[in-house]
Amino acid sequence: MKVTISHIKADIGSLPGHTTVYGPVVDEVGSYVKKNGEGLISDFHISSVGDDIQITMIHDRGVDSPEVHELAWNAFKAGTSVAKKYGLYGAGQDLLKDSFSGNIKGMGPGIAEMEITPRKSEPFIVYMMDKTEPGAFNFPIFKMFADPYNTPGLVIDTNMHDGFRFEVWDIVEAKKIFLDCPEHMYDLLGLIGSKSRYVIKRVYTKKSHEKLPDENVAVISTDKLSFIAGEYVGKDDPAGIVRIQSGLPASGEAMEAFSFPYMVSGWMRGSFNGPLMPVGLKDAKMSRFDGPPKVIGLGFVLKDGKLAGPVDMFDDPAFDGARRTATQVVDYLRRMGPFEPHRLPEDEMEYTSLPRVLEKFKGKFEVIESQSKKREVKLSTKDVD
Ligand code: F6R
Ligand code: MG
Ligand code: MG
């Protein structure tokens, strides 16, 4: 029988700024799901990273279930009332619509869900990031499922040797493409290196996988809040679910992908590049320059609709090196202040004052004669072509 893992997350208020969630709000979300999820979901877990509350739910209604989505929506609504009572910052900020309309997609919260054929033992890890964007998953997901230096199972486990299939979304044009690895590895990298546009949405086993043919084994939330709302309303901090072991990346191979604090976009005002720091739950708050961007990992095993766990996967001195490197990178980048490449390029910034600056000095820019002549010549040559 198929089972669905639905992970839905939202920022419904934090303190003192965008630092961390507040206990009473998290408790309210949890007790709402517990009380109202009976008969609908078989188990759930509530967690948080930075200013985002995360609900992991298990059920048998498949992806896009209106009832399951509505449960999460109403739980976030209930949490928002508590957040408002305490005057939390940005209370209810990710709930962009007044009422639920059948599917939580496009309403603000981020969602990652997959319907699976559970194995005898079904281990998986939920990764949750704050102060970054969905494309931040491109690097580690590629490492886990396609890089033999990260995942030697691709070389030495016969069940992984054929590689995996990637579903990549163009989140600007709203299009998708399926690419196989290792066959299309260089094409895949060509796309997903542009992480603000091409994002890995799902990973599947190939039909030839002996233990688990043609199955969804990883999924990432790809909800671009800024596109949904038509204006900036908060970075679309992503979450991802990765199934592991037995012909899939081992737990340690999935974790290894985060041992290098690679650079992601987001951080302060959604407008800066910074290293992604893997942390345990106790450090999952955003302090320095509203960050740095952080990732937590919770490990579960699923059996008969029930969850065992979680294990706080990055709460391990083995990741101290990654954290130290990330801190050094922060020290280095911060000295660049408002300059690129610490600051994002103009078209990727979530906050910008440039239009206003340009408006203020409208008509004050003087033509540079020599350069403008060159430009005219170049343009007319182009016309002839
Ligand atoms: C980034 C984030 C924060 C805020 C920043 C300014 O995703 O949440 O870095 O952008 O603290 O917030 P406001 O404009 O609300 O004062
Ligand atoms: Mg957040
Ligand atoms: Mg936020």
Side-chain angles (χ1 to χ4, degrees), residues 11 14 18 51-52 93-94 130-131 232-235 237:
D11 176 349
S14 49
H18 295 270
D51 53 13
D52 298 307
Q93 74 156 50
D94 281 359
D130 193 29
K131 304 294 184 267
Y232 180 68
V233 284
K235 203 80 190 169
D237 310 307

Side-chain angles (χ1 to χ4, degrees), residues 221-233:
S221 67
T222 43
D223 310 84
K224 260 236 166 272
L225 275 181
S226 44
F227 292 156
I228 293 166
E231 60 180 279
Y232 180 68
V233 284

Side-chain angles (χ1 to χ4, degrees), residues 47-68:
S47 54
S48 66
V49 55
D51 53 13
D52 298 307
I53 297 181
Q54 317 262 347
I55 315 176
T56 312
M57 292 172 286
I58 308 297
H59 57 97
D60 57 12
R61 309 235 168 170
V63 300
D64 289 335
S65 155
E67 295 82 12
V68 173

Side-chain angles (χ1 to χ4, degrees), residues 11 14 17-19 51 89-90 93 130-132 232-237 266-271 286 289-291 350-351:
D11 176 349
S14 49
H18 295 270
T19 308
D51 53 13
Y89 195 66
Q93 74 156 50
D130 193 29
K131 304 294 184 267
T132 186
Y232 180 68
V233 284
K235 203 80 190 169
D236 37 332
D237 310 307
W267 207 353
M268 173 60 75
R269 294 192 166 80
S271 304
M286 305 295 143
F289 200 53
D290 282 2
E350 303 286 4
Y351 281 51

